[in-house]
Amino acid sequence: METIVIVGGGAGGLELATYLGNKLGSKKRAKVVLIDRNSTHLWKPLLHEVATGSLDEGTDALSYRAHAKNHGFEFQLGTLTAVDRNKKEVTLAPIFNEQNEVLVAERHIAYDKLVIAIGSTSNDFGTKGVAEHCIFLDGSEQAKRFHKQMMEQFLKFSNNNDKSVSIAIVGGGATGIELSAELYNAVKYLHAYGFGKLNNTNLKVTLVEAGGRLIPALTEKVSQSALSELRQLGVDVRLNTKITEATAEGLLTSEGELIEADLMVWAAGVKAPDFVRNFGFETNRLNQIEIKDTLQTTVDENVYVIGDCASLIQDGKPIPPKAQAAHQMATQCGKNIVAQLENKPLKPFVFNDKGSLLSFSRFGTVGNLMGNLVSGNMFIEGKIARVAYLSLYRMHQVALHGWIKTGLILLVGQINRFLRPSMKLH
């Protein structure tokens, strides 16, 4: 019986493990192993909501172990450090407790088929001081760190009558835009929960973008709509502004201006983790692993790569690091692995871009639909856009749980709206 090892439990990796576990693992046709450095899974596009407290990670996160038990695969907690293609094994780092005692020694896990789905990390482009002074929203731990520091700043404001809380965000992409809007939603609830005279005028959010417009990958209409929505909320949007250094006081621009901030977030770009370059695969300048259209690496047909850490050019453009791409890759990768095990031909992956949507929390949603959803490229906003935005997450949930359980999750979510606070306060 062959062993299929999947490293990375993000959107693509977990969906793939679920598919292969149901199709192969539960029927004893193959052993499916999922490896992740965290114990729980949270859909990455929701991290800005965890950061502001709109979403309680402790309630909404999915346990890998429990999910593995229900879907025919095995879960291993661990951090990937090496891939040995000759021995066909991966190495996981030791696990230590807070007292630096070894809980689990270094492990070597053998595979017949390997899928690398380790996602991406923030790219600070070597900017001085960013690693020391800015928070990256790469995972739930960093989102919780932001939430803790944000609550401390608002607590300080409510008790010391400080004039404002200043938060600076670098990067005019989806993360920066959605986090900016979500912060104003948080202010509304914090005022209701007794944080003094806190309101929109006490929150100063500065969104810094090096380019000439927000989200340049989308249409000009979406970009202008996003800019208008943010400025209406009160966000100070700085376009054509390059950050050269981050300090304890704030962000220094190339023009010599200091943007003062109590809290800083860097969301200006992504890359695959640096250690990927040590695995012996062909990589690009963003450390992404070069793959063929079958999602196999260019140097080893038994190793697949999906999601943000994969580099694949189609129609002259790279597949974008988006959740919908990881979802589609997981689907095709699962089918190709099954085909390979059955000695059948593999089918090429073709990315179907269904468009992009931006949520401004309760204030609105804008975006464009593409692909087979509409003819050409259609701008949408308002309630229709909000429904489309939420449907992206529901598709992910259906891939993991099926329609019935997803429906029950929605029902529980509606009940919790009456039982729990409107935002996480601790």
Side-chain angles (χ1 to χ4, degrees), residues 72-87:
F73 65 91
E74 175 188 324
F75 173 69
Q76 290 267 4
L77 180 67
T79 300
L80 179 69
T81 58
V83 175
D84 189 326
R85 292 190 291 111
N86 293 323
K87 293 183 179 179

Side-chain angles (χ1 to χ4, degrees), residues 249-271:
E249 289 73 36
L251 301 167
L252 191 65
T253 73
S254 57
E255 301 295 321
E257 178 190 1
L258 177 66
I259 300 174
E260 295 184 356
D262 303 307
L263 193 54
M264 294 170 282
V265 175
W266 188 275
V270 297
K271 63 179 181 179

